[in-house]
Amino acid sequence: MNDPTESRLRMAAHWLRIGHPDRTLDELQGLSGDAAVTYRTYLLRGAALHALDRNAEAVDVLRDGLAQHGPMPAMLHVLGSALRSEGRLPEAEATFLQGLSVDPNEPDLLLGYARVCLAAGQAQKAGALVERAASHAPESVAVSAARAQVAFALGKDRDMHRHSTEALAHDPEDPNARALHGTASMLTGDSRSGYTSLASAAAAQPGDADLRDAARQAKLFNHPLMLPLRPFARVNPLVVWICVVAVIYGLRAVGLAPLSFVFAMVWLAFCVYSWVVPPLVRRWINRRWG
């Protein structure tokens, strides 16, 4: 005969695993007595609250759980992540270091600490922690995703694209991997793949406003009317203007004033196009996007 408490805990874990943390909390509400204060109950409740961005509540729940059950690495990992999301980086660092003192080679703790370092602007230290985690979990989608995040922080767009592609290959349905791949694709000039991945990630996480906005911007960039502007998207505008002025005066200097005038008029028309078309396309997309 199945234990009803065990069945409820398994169902709570199932809802959390498939991305429905609200249903996890509903399942846990049905527990009472000793079943409501077990290690698994605290861990699932804290993880669900963290997934719902109710991080202040998650911190309180997890600290209560740690007070009752001691320094459990999995609980410390979720607590550290919630503190990082709250912007409480020193507390998050201390939490991950406490977890690593219990289990120095736990990949999730190493990756969590790496994300704290990234948030603090310590990309090199984060990279070292990610590689340490990779030595213990080389096939992990989380490792590939963390490598992509480190590459992004270091400005290594092609490395980010490679690592995000690896993460996506490990788990094609992972919205975080899709978001990383979409961002990397946009940065490396593959705007079509970038929009596909970002739109998929936004659809999987409808509550993420930043992700939704990134997908909208990618759709704008992919519009046919934006095609003439794409070659200049990744070039410093000051450099472009310096080159244009140099061409105009260079043509005049070699006695090609009429050609210089034609080039200047074409550039003026292009400038007007770049000022007028993007806002119109953005308005049209926003109207359809909702």
PDB file of all heavy atoms in Angstrom, residues 257-288:
ATOM      1  N   ALA A 257      34.390  65.153 -57.173  1.00  0.00           N
ATOM      2  CA  ALA A 257      33.371  65.853 -56.389  1.00  0.00           C
ATOM      3  C   ALA A 257      31.947  65.383 -56.688  1.00  0.00           C
ATOM      4  O   ALA A 257      31.144  65.215 -55.759  1.00  0.00           O
ATOM      5  CB  ALA A 257      33.498  67.357 -56.605  1.00  0.00           C
ATOM      6  N   PRO A 258      31.571  65.157 -57.996  1.00  0.00           N
ATOM      7  CA  PRO A 258      30.210  64.668 -58.256  1.00  0.00           C
ATOM      8  C   PRO A 258      29.929  63.326 -57.584  1.00  0.00           C
ATOM      9  O   PRO A 258      28.852  63.115 -57.021  1.00  0.00           O
ATOM     10  CB  PRO A 258      30.165  64.549 -59.779  1.00  0.00           C
ATOM     11  CG  PRO A 258      31.186  65.513 -60.258  1.00  0.00           C
ATOM     12  CD  PRO A 258      32.291  65.463 -59.244  1.00  0.00           C
ATOM     13  N   LEU A 259      30.910  62.422 -57.661  1.00  0.00           N
ATOM     14  CA  LEU A 259      30.731  61.118 -57.016  1.00  0.00           C
ATOM     15  C   LEU A 259      30.655  61.273 -55.501  1.00  0.00           C
ATOM     16  O   LEU A 259      29.887  60.568 -54.828  1.00  0.00           O
ATOM     17  CB  LEU A 259      31.882  60.186 -57.402  1.00  0.00           C
ATOM     18  CG  LEU A 259      31.786  58.748 -56.902  1.00  0.00           C
ATOM     19  CD1 LEU A 259      30.503  58.095 -57.395  1.00  0.00           C
ATOM     20  CD2 LEU A 259      33.008  57.943 -57.338  1.00  0.00           C
ATOM     21  N   SER A 260      31.440  62.223 -54.976  1.00  0.00           N
ATOM     22  CA  SER A 260      31.388  62.502 -53.539  1.00  0.00           C
ATOM     23  C   SER A 260      30.003  62.973 -53.132  1.00  0.00           C
ATOM     24  O   SER A 260      29.469  62.564 -52.096  1.00  0.00           O
ATOM     25  CB  SER A 260      32.435  63.565 -53.183  1.00  0.00           C
ATOM     26  OG  SER A 260      32.286  63.971 -51.842  1.00  0.00           O
ATOM     27  N   PHE A 261      29.401  63.832 -53.975  1.00  0.00           N
ATOM     28  CA  PHE A 261      28.059  64.338 -53.693  1.00  0.00           C
ATOM     29  C   PHE A 261      27.026  63.213 -53.717  1.00  0.00           C
ATOM     30  O   PHE A 261      26.158  63.127 -52.833  1.00  0.00           O
ATOM     31  CB  PHE A 261      27.692  65.422 -54.710  1.00  0.00           C
ATOM     32  CG  PHE A 261      26.307  65.949 -54.541  1.00  0.00           C
ATOM     33  CD1 PHE A 261      25.997  66.857 -53.536  1.00  0.00           C
ATOM     34  CD2 PHE A 261      25.275  65.524 -55.386  1.00  0.00           C
ATOM     35  CE1 PHE A 261      24.700  67.336 -53.377  1.00  0.00           C
ATOM     36  CE2 PHE A 261      23.986  66.002 -55.223  1.00  0.00           C
ATOM     37  CZ  PHE A 261      23.695  66.911 -54.214  1.00  0.00           C
ATOM     38  N   VAL A 262      27.129  62.329 -54.729  1.00  0.00           N
ATOM     39  CA  VAL A 262      26.194  61.202 -54.827  1.00  0.00           C
ATOM     40  C   VAL A 262      26.325  60.303 -53.596  1.00  0.00           C
ATOM     41  O   VAL A 262      25.310  59.879 -53.001  1.00  0.00           O
ATOM     42  CB  VAL A 262      26.464  60.394 -56.117  1.00  0.00           C
ATOM     43  CG1 VAL A 262      25.649  59.097 -56.103  1.00  0.00           C
ATOM     44  CG2 VAL A 262      26.120  61.226 -57.344  1.00  0.00           C
ATOM     45  N   PHE A 263      27.553  60.026 -53.193  1.00  0.00           N
ATOM     46  CA  PHE A 263      27.770  59.181 -52.014  1.00  0.00           C
ATOM     47  C   PHE A 263      27.170  59.831 -50.773  1.00  0.00           C
ATOM     48  O   PHE A 263      26.534  59.157 -49.943  1.00  0.00           O
ATOM     49  CB  PHE A 263      29.271  58.942 -51.814  1.00  0.00           C
ATOM     50  CG  PHE A 263      29.597  58.054 -50.658  1.00  0.00           C
ATOM     51  CD1 PHE A 263      29.552  56.681 -50.778  1.00  0.00           C
ATOM     52  CD2 PHE A 263      29.919  58.589 -49.409  1.00  0.00           C
ATOM     53  CE1 PHE A 263      29.837  55.851 -49.699  1.00  0.00           C
ATOM     54  CE2 PHE A 263      30.203  57.775 -48.328  1.00  0.00           C
ATOM     55  CZ  PHE A 263      30.160  56.399 -48.482  1.00  0.00           C
ATOM     56  N   ALA A 264      27.340  61.157 -50.640  1.00  0.00           N
ATOM     57  CA  ALA A 264      26.803  61.865 -49.481  1.00  0.00           C
ATOM     58  C   ALA A 264      25.275  61.800 -49.453  1.00  0.00           C
ATOM     59  O   ALA A 264      24.665  61.636 -48.397  1.00  0.00           O
ATOM     60  CB  ALA A 264      27.286  63.315 -49.497  1.00  0.00           C
ATOM     61  N   MET A 265      24.637  61.930 -50.639  1.00  0.00           N
ATOM     62  CA  MET A 265      23.187  61.868 -50.711  1.00  0.00           C
ATOM     63  C   MET A 265      22.668  60.464 -50.372  1.00  0.00           C
ATOM     64  O   MET A 265      21.647  60.307 -49.698  1.00  0.00           O
ATOM     65  CB  MET A 265      22.715  62.286 -52.107  1.00  0.00           C
ATOM     66  CG  MET A 265      22.903  63.770 -52.421  1.00  0.00           C
ATOM     67  SD  MET A 265      22.008  64.870 -51.258  1.00  0.00           S
ATOM     68  CE  MET A 265      23.350  65.349 -50.145  1.00  0.00           C
ATOM     69  N   VAL A 266      23.396  59.447 -50.865  1.00  0.00           N
ATOM     70  CA  VAL A 266      23.009  58.067 -50.548  1.00  0.00           C
ATOM     71  C   VAL A 266      23.122  57.830 -49.052  1.00  0.00           C
ATOM     72  O   VAL A 266      22.240  57.222 -48.428  1.00  0.00           O
ATOM     73  CB  VAL A 266      23.890  57.065 -51.331  1.00  0.00           C
ATOM     74  CG1 VAL A 266      23.667  55.644 -50.816  1.00  0.00           C
ATOM     75  CG2 VAL A 266      23.581  57.148 -52.815  1.00  0.00           C
ATOM     76  N   TRP A 267      24.195  58.334 -48.461  1.00  0.00           N
ATOM     77  CA  TRP A 267      24.366  58.164 -47.020  1.00  0.00           C
ATOM     78  C   TRP A 267      23.283  58.909 -46.240  1.00  0.00           C
ATOM     79  O   TRP A 267      22.768  58.405 -45.242  1.00  0.00           O
ATOM     80  CB  TRP A 267      25.748  58.654 -46.600  1.00  0.00           C
ATOM     81  CG  TRP A 267      25.972  58.553 -45.118  1.00  0.00           C
ATOM     82  CD1 TRP A 267      26.066  59.564 -44.228  1.00  0.00           C
ATOM     83  CD2 TRP A 267      26.074  57.339 -44.350  1.00  0.00           C
ATOM     84  NE1 TRP A 267      26.234  59.083 -42.944  1.00  0.00           N
ATOM     85  CE2 TRP A 267      26.248  57.716 -42.993  1.00  0.00           C
ATOM     86  CE3 TRP A 267      26.047  55.987 -44.680  1.00  0.00           C
ATOM     87  CZ2 TRP A 267      26.388  56.781 -41.987  1.00  0.00           C
ATOM     88  CZ3 TRP A 267      26.192  55.056 -43.653  1.00  0.00           C
ATOM     89  CH2 TRP A 267      26.352  55.448 -42.329  1.00  0.00           C
ATOM     90  N   LEU A 268      22.915  60.103 -46.701  1.00  0.00           N
ATOM     91  CA  LEU A 268      21.845  60.848 -46.050  1.00  0.00           C
ATOM     92  C   LEU A 268      20.534  60.073 -46.111  1.00  0.00           C
ATOM     93  O   LEU A 268      19.797  59.983 -45.110  1.00  0.00           O
ATOM     94  CB  LEU A 268      21.684  62.215 -46.709  1.00  0.00           C
ATOM     95  CG  LEU A 268      20.543  63.092 -46.164  1.00  0.00           C
ATOM     96  CD1 LEU A 268      20.752  63.401 -44.687  1.00  0.00           C
ATOM     97  CD2 LEU A 268      20.441  64.387 -46.974  1.00  0.00           C
ATOM     98  N   ALA A 269      20.237  59.480 -47.274  1.00  0.00           N
ATOM     99  CA  ALA A 269      19.018  58.689 -47.422  1.00  0.00           C
ATOM    100  C   ALA A 269      19.035  57.481 -46.488  1.00  0.00           C
ATOM    101  O   ALA A 269      18.023  57.125 -45.873  1.00  0.00           O
ATOM    102  CB  ALA A 269      18.855  58.236 -48.873  1.00  0.00           C
ATOM    103  N   PHE A 270      20.221  56.876 -46.372  1.00  0.00           N
ATOM    104  CA  PHE A 270      20.361  55.726 -45.472  1.00  0.00           C
ATOM    105  C   PHE A 270      20.121  56.151 -44.022  1.00  0.00           C
ATOM    106  O   PHE A 270      19.466  55.432 -43.245  1.00  0.00           O
ATOM    107  CB  PHE A 270      21.751  55.115 -45.624  1.00  0.00           C
ATOM    108  CG  PHE A 270      22.018  53.978 -44.687  1.00  0.00           C
ATOM    109  CD1 PHE A 270      21.556  52.696 -44.967  1.00  0.00           C
ATOM    110  CD2 PHE A 270      22.724  54.187 -43.500  1.00  0.00           C
ATOM    111  CE1 PHE A 270      21.797  51.647 -44.095  1.00  0.00           C
ATOM    112  CE2 PHE A 270      22.960  53.145 -42.626  1.00  0.00           C
ATOM    113  CZ  PHE A 270      22.500  51.876 -42.928  1.00  0.00           C
ATOM    114  N   CYS A 271      20.644  57.310 -43.641  1.00  0.00           N
ATOM    115  CA  CYS A 271      20.453  57.806 -42.277  1.00  0.00           C
ATOM    116  C   CYS A 271      18.975  58.036 -41.981  1.00  0.00           C
ATOM    117  O   CYS A 271      18.477  57.660 -40.911  1.00  0.00           O
ATOM    118  CB  CYS A 271      21.247  59.094 -42.073  1.00  0.00           C
ATOM    119  SG  CYS A 271      23.041  58.858 -42.008  1.00  0.00           S
ATOM    120  N   VAL A 272      18.284  58.676 -42.921  1.00  0.00           N
ATOM    121  CA  VAL A 272      16.849  58.911 -42.744  1.00  0.00           C
ATOM    122  C   VAL A 272      16.117  57.580 -42.591  1.00  0.00           C
ATOM    123  O   VAL A 272      15.230  57.427 -41.736  1.00  0.00           O
ATOM    124  CB  VAL A 272      16.283  59.723 -43.922  1.00  0.00           C
ATOM    125  CG1 VAL A 272      14.760  59.811 -43.840  1.00  0.00           C
ATOM    126  CG2 VAL A 272      16.900  61.124 -43.955  1.00  0.00           C
ATOM    127  N   TYR A 273      16.488  56.610 -43.417  1.00  0.00           N
ATOM    128  CA  TYR A 273      15.882  55.268 -43.348  1.00  0.00           C
ATOM    129  C   TYR A 273      16.108  54.668 -41.960  1.00  0.00           C
ATOM    130  O   TYR A 273      15.187  54.109 -41.349  1.00  0.00           O
ATOM    131  CB  TYR A 273      16.510  54.395 -44.425  1.00  0.00           C
ATOM    132  CG  TYR A 273      15.887  53.031 -44.574  1.00  0.00           C
ATOM    133  CD1 TYR A 273      14.865  52.806 -45.493  1.00  0.00           C
ATOM    134  CD2 TYR A 273      16.319  51.954 -43.796  1.00  0.00           C
ATOM    135  CE1 TYR A 273      14.293  51.552 -45.638  1.00  0.00           C
ATOM    136  CE2 TYR A 273      15.752  50.702 -43.928  1.00  0.00           C
ATOM    137  CZ  TYR A 273      14.745  50.497 -44.853  1.00  0.00           C
ATOM    138  OH  TYR A 273      14.172  49.251 -44.992  1.00  0.00           O
ATOM    139  N   SER A 274      17.331  54.785 -41.460  1.00  0.00           N
ATOM    140  CA  SER A 274      17.665  54.182 -40.161  1.00  0.00           C
ATOM    141  C   SER A 274      16.956  54.878 -39.010  1.00  0.00           C
ATOM    142  O   SER A 274      16.756  54.286 -37.950  1.00  0.00           O
ATOM    143  CB  SER A 274      19.174  54.229 -39.944  1.00  0.00           C
ATOM    144  OG  SER A 274      19.629  55.557 -39.748  1.00  0.00           O
ATOM    145  N   TRP A 275      16.571  56.165 -39.201  1.00  0.00           N
ATOM    146  CA  TRP A 275      15.859  56.883 -38.146  1.00  0.00           C
ATOM    147  C   TRP A 275      14.358  56.611 -38.178  1.00  0.00           C
ATOM    148  O   TRP A 275      13.717  56.581 -37.136  1.00  0.00           O
ATOM    149  CB  TRP A 275      16.082  58.399 -38.299  1.00  0.00           C
ATOM    150  CG  TRP A 275      17.508  58.823 -38.159  1.00  0.00           C
ATOM    151  CD1 TRP A 275      18.479  58.223 -37.404  1.00  0.00           C
ATOM    152  CD2 TRP A 275      18.146  59.943 -38.793  1.00  0.00           C
ATOM    153  NE1 TRP A 275      19.674  58.886 -37.533  1.00  0.00           N
ATOM    154  CE2 TRP A 275      19.506  59.957 -38.376  1.00  0.00           C
ATOM    155  CE3 TRP A 275      17.701  60.940 -39.667  1.00  0.00           C
ATOM    156  CZ2 TRP A 275      20.413  60.912 -38.812  1.00  0.00           C
ATOM    157  CZ3 TRP A 275      18.612  61.904 -40.089  1.00  0.00           C
ATOM    158  CH2 TRP A 275      19.949  61.890 -39.668  1.00  0.00           C
ATOM    159  N   VAL A 276      13.825  56.393 -39.369  1.00  0.00           N
ATOM    160  CA  VAL A 276      12.370  56.291 -39.535  1.00  0.00           C
ATOM    161  C   VAL A 276      11.865  54.855 -39.437  1.00  0.00           C
ATOM    162  O   VAL A 276      10.861  54.575 -38.758  1.00  0.00           O
ATOM    163  CB  VAL A 276      11.938  56.917 -40.876  1.00  0.00           C
ATOM    164  CG1 VAL A 276      10.460  56.648 -41.139  1.00  0.00           C
ATOM    165  CG2 VAL A 276      12.239  58.401 -40.904  1.00  0.00           C
ATOM    166  N   VAL A 277      12.544  53.922 -40.100  1.00  0.00           N
ATOM    167  CA  VAL A 277      12.017  52.566 -40.244  1.00  0.00           C
ATOM    168  C   VAL A 277      11.991  51.780 -38.927  1.00  0.00           C
ATOM    169  O   VAL A 277      10.957  51.183 -38.593  1.00  0.00           O
ATOM    170  CB  VAL A 277      12.792  51.802 -41.335  1.00  0.00           C
ATOM    171  CG1 VAL A 277      12.401  50.320 -41.338  1.00  0.00           C
ATOM    172  CG2 VAL A 277      12.512  52.421 -42.699  1.00  0.00           C
ATOM    173  N   PRO A 278      13.076  51.713 -38.139  1.00  0.00           N
ATOM    174  CA  PRO A 278      13.025  50.901 -36.916  1.00  0.00           C
ATOM    175  C   PRO A 278      11.881  51.237 -35.973  1.00  0.00           C
ATOM    176  O   PRO A 278      11.207  50.314 -35.478  1.00  0.00           O
ATOM    177  CB  PRO A 278      14.403  51.151 -36.283  1.00  0.00           C
ATOM    178  CG  PRO A 278      15.292  51.453 -37.431  1.00  0.00           C
ATOM    179  CD  PRO A 278      14.435  52.251 -38.373  1.00  0.00           C
ATOM    180  N   PRO A 279      11.601  52.527 -35.685  1.00  0.00           N
ATOM    181  CA  PRO A 279      10.454  52.801 -34.798  1.00  0.00           C
ATOM    182  C   PRO A 279       9.122  52.324 -35.368  1.00  0.00           C
ATOM    183  O   PRO A 279       8.260  51.841 -34.618  1.00  0.00           O
ATOM    184  CB  PRO A 279      10.481  54.330 -34.659  1.00  0.00           C
ATOM    185  CG  PRO A 279      11.872  54.729 -34.969  1.00  0.00           C
ATOM    186  CD  PRO A 279      12.334  53.770 -36.009  1.00  0.00           C
ATOM    187  N   LEU A 280       8.954  52.446 -36.697  1.00  0.00           N
ATOM    188  CA  LEU A 280       7.705  51.996 -37.308  1.00  0.00           C
ATOM    189  C   LEU A 280       7.568  50.480 -37.219  1.00  0.00           C
ATOM    190  O   LEU A 280       6.490  49.959 -36.902  1.00  0.00           O
ATOM    191  CB  LEU A 280       7.657  52.447 -38.774  1.00  0.00           C
ATOM    192  CG  LEU A 280       7.553  53.955 -39.013  1.00  0.00           C
ATOM    193  CD1 LEU A 280       7.596  54.263 -40.504  1.00  0.00           C
ATOM    194  CD2 LEU A 280       6.270  54.509 -38.389  1.00  0.00           C
ATOM    195  N   VAL A 281       8.660  49.768 -37.508  1.00  0.00           N
ATOM    196  CA  VAL A 281       8.631  48.305 -37.420  1.00  0.00           C
ATOM    197  C   VAL A 281       8.415  47.867 -35.980  1.00  0.00           C
ATOM    198  O   VAL A 281       7.635  46.942 -35.700  1.00  0.00           O
ATOM    199  CB  VAL A 281       9.931  47.701 -37.980  1.00  0.00           C
ATOM    200  CG1 VAL A 281       9.952  46.189 -37.763  1.00  0.00           C
ATOM    201  CG2 VAL A 281      10.079  48.021 -39.461  1.00  0.00           C
ATOM    202  N   ARG A 282       9.058  48.549 -35.038  1.00  0.00           N
ATOM    203  CA  ARG A 282       8.895  48.203 -33.622  1.00  0.00           C
ATOM    204  C   ARG A 282       7.441  48.390 -33.179  1.00  0.00           C
ATOM    205  O   ARG A 282       6.890  47.547 -32.464  1.00  0.00           O
ATOM    206  CB  ARG A 282       9.831  49.059 -32.772  1.00  0.00           C
ATOM    207  CG  ARG A 282       9.779  48.717 -31.279  1.00  0.00           C
ATOM    208  CD  ARG A 282      10.766  49.540 -30.474  1.00  0.00           C
ATOM    209  NE  ARG A 282      12.144  49.187 -30.799  1.00  0.00           N
ATOM    210  CZ  ARG A 282      12.975  49.964 -31.481  1.00  0.00           C
ATOM    211  NH1 ARG A 282      12.567  51.148 -31.920  1.00  0.00           N
ATOM    212  NH2 ARG A 282      14.203  49.577 -31.717  1.00  0.00           N
ATOM    213  N   ARG A 283       6.821  49.472 -33.618  1.00  0.00           N
ATOM    214  CA  ARG A 283       5.423  49.718 -33.258  1.00  0.00           C
ATOM    215  C   ARG A 283       4.518  48.640 -33.825  1.00  0.00           C
ATOM    216  O   ARG A 283       3.607  48.163 -33.160  1.00  0.00           O
ATOM    217  CB  ARG A 283       5.002  51.099 -33.777  1.00  0.00           C
ATOM    218  CG  ARG A 283       3.598  51.506 -33.367  1.00  0.00           C
ATOM    219  CD  ARG A 283       3.264  52.888 -33.878  1.00  0.00           C
ATOM    220  NE  ARG A 283       4.212  53.880 -33.371  1.00  0.00           N
ATOM    221  CZ  ARG A 283       4.216  55.151 -33.744  1.00  0.00           C
ATOM    222  NH1 ARG A 283       3.332  55.588 -34.647  1.00  0.00           N
ATOM    223  NH2 ARG A 283       5.088  55.999 -33.239  1.00  0.00           N
ATOM    224  N   TRP A 284       4.790  48.238 -35.062  1.00  0.00           N
ATOM    225  CA  TRP A 284       3.977  47.200 -35.695  1.00  0.00           C
ATOM    226  C   TRP A 284       4.143  45.865 -34.987  1.00  0.00           C
ATOM    227  O   TRP A 284       3.161  45.155 -34.725  1.00  0.00           O
ATOM    228  CB  TRP A 284       4.377  47.081 -37.169  1.00  0.00           C
ATOM    229  CG  TRP A 284       3.564  46.084 -37.932  1.00  0.00           C
ATOM    230  CD1 TRP A 284       2.313  46.247 -38.448  1.00  0.00           C
ATOM    231  CD2 TRP A 284       3.952  44.743 -38.269  1.00  0.00           C
ATOM    232  NE1 TRP A 284       1.896  45.108 -39.073  1.00  0.00           N
ATOM    233  CE2 TRP A 284       2.881  44.166 -38.987  1.00  0.00           C
ATOM    234  CE3 TRP A 284       5.094  43.981 -38.048  1.00  0.00           C
ATOM    235  CZ2 TRP A 284       2.938  42.866 -39.463  1.00  0.00           C
ATOM    236  CZ3 TRP A 284       5.148  42.685 -38.527  1.00  0.00           C
ATOM    237  CH2 TRP A 284       4.074  42.146 -39.232  1.00  0.00           C
ATOM    238  N   ILE A 285       5.381  45.520 -34.621  1.00  0.00           N
ATOM    239  CA  ILE A 285       5.637  44.255 -33.936  1.00  0.00           C
ATOM    240  C   ILE A 285       5.013  44.263 -32.549  1.00  0.00           C
ATOM    241  O   ILE A 285       4.407  43.277 -32.104  1.00  0.00           O
ATOM    242  CB  ILE A 285       7.162  43.986 -33.860  1.00  0.00           C
ATOM    243  CG1 ILE A 285       7.700  43.608 -35.243  1.00  0.00           C
ATOM    244  CG2 ILE A 285       7.469  42.877 -32.847  1.00  0.00           C
ATOM    245  CD1 ILE A 285       9.199  43.438 -35.300  1.00  0.00           C
ATOM    246  N   ASN A 286       5.150  45.379 -31.825  1.00  0.00           N
ATOM    247  CA  ASN A 286       4.570  45.466 -30.493  1.00  0.00           C
ATOM    248  C   ASN A 286       3.058  45.318 -30.520  1.00  0.00           C
ATOM    249  O   ASN A 286       2.454  44.718 -29.624  1.00  0.00           O
ATOM    250  CB  ASN A 286       4.945  46.797 -29.836  1.00  0.00           C
ATOM    251  CG  ASN A 286       6.405  46.844 -29.421  1.00  0.00           C
ATOM    252  OD1 ASN A 286       7.059  45.814 -29.335  1.00  0.00           O
ATOM    253  ND2 ASN A 286       6.915  48.041 -29.205  1.00  0.00           N
ATOM    254  N   ARG A 287       2.437  45.846 -31.551  1.00  0.00           N
ATOM    255  CA  ARG A 287       0.986  45.739 -31.685  1.00  0.00           C
ATOM    256  C   ARG A 287       0.572  44.283 -31.893  1.00  0.00           C
ATOM    257  O   ARG A 287      -0.426  43.822 -31.346  1.00  0.00           O
ATOM    258  CB  ARG A 287       0.512  46.600 -32.853  1.00  0.00           C
ATOM    259  CG  ARG A 287      -1.005  46.700 -32.988  1.00  0.00           C
ATOM    260  CD  ARG A 287      -1.363  47.629 -34.120  1.00  0.00           C
ATOM    261  NE  ARG A 287      -0.801  48.961 -33.909  1.00  0.00           N
ATOM    262  CZ  ARG A 287      -0.676  49.866 -34.886  1.00  0.00           C
ATOM    263  NH1 ARG A 287      -1.038  49.581 -36.120  1.00  0.00           N
ATOM    264  NH2 ARG A 287      -0.168  51.052 -34.609  1.00  0.00           N
ATOM    265  N   ARG A 288       1.356  43.565 -32.700  1.00  0.00           N
ATOM    266  CA  ARG A 288       1.032  42.156 -32.964  1.00  0.00           C
ATOM    267  C   ARG A 288       1.462  41.255 -31.797  1.00  0.00           C
ATOM    268  O   ARG A 288       0.835  40.225 -31.547  1.00  0.00           O
ATOM    269  CB  ARG A 288       1.726  41.694 -34.257  1.00  0.00           C
ATOM    270  CG  ARG A 288       1.156  42.331 -35.509  1.00  0.00           C
ATOM    271  CD  ARG A 288       1.969  41.941 -36.723  1.00  0.00           C
ATOM    272  NE  ARG A 288       1.993  40.497 -36.920  1.00  0.00           N
ATOM    273  CZ  ARG A 288       1.094  39.817 -37.637  1.00  0.00           C
ATOM    274  NH1 ARG A 288       0.081  40.465 -38.205  1.00  0.00           N
ATOM    275  NH2 ARG A 288       1.192  38.522 -37.791  1.00  0.00           N
TER     276      ARG A 288
END
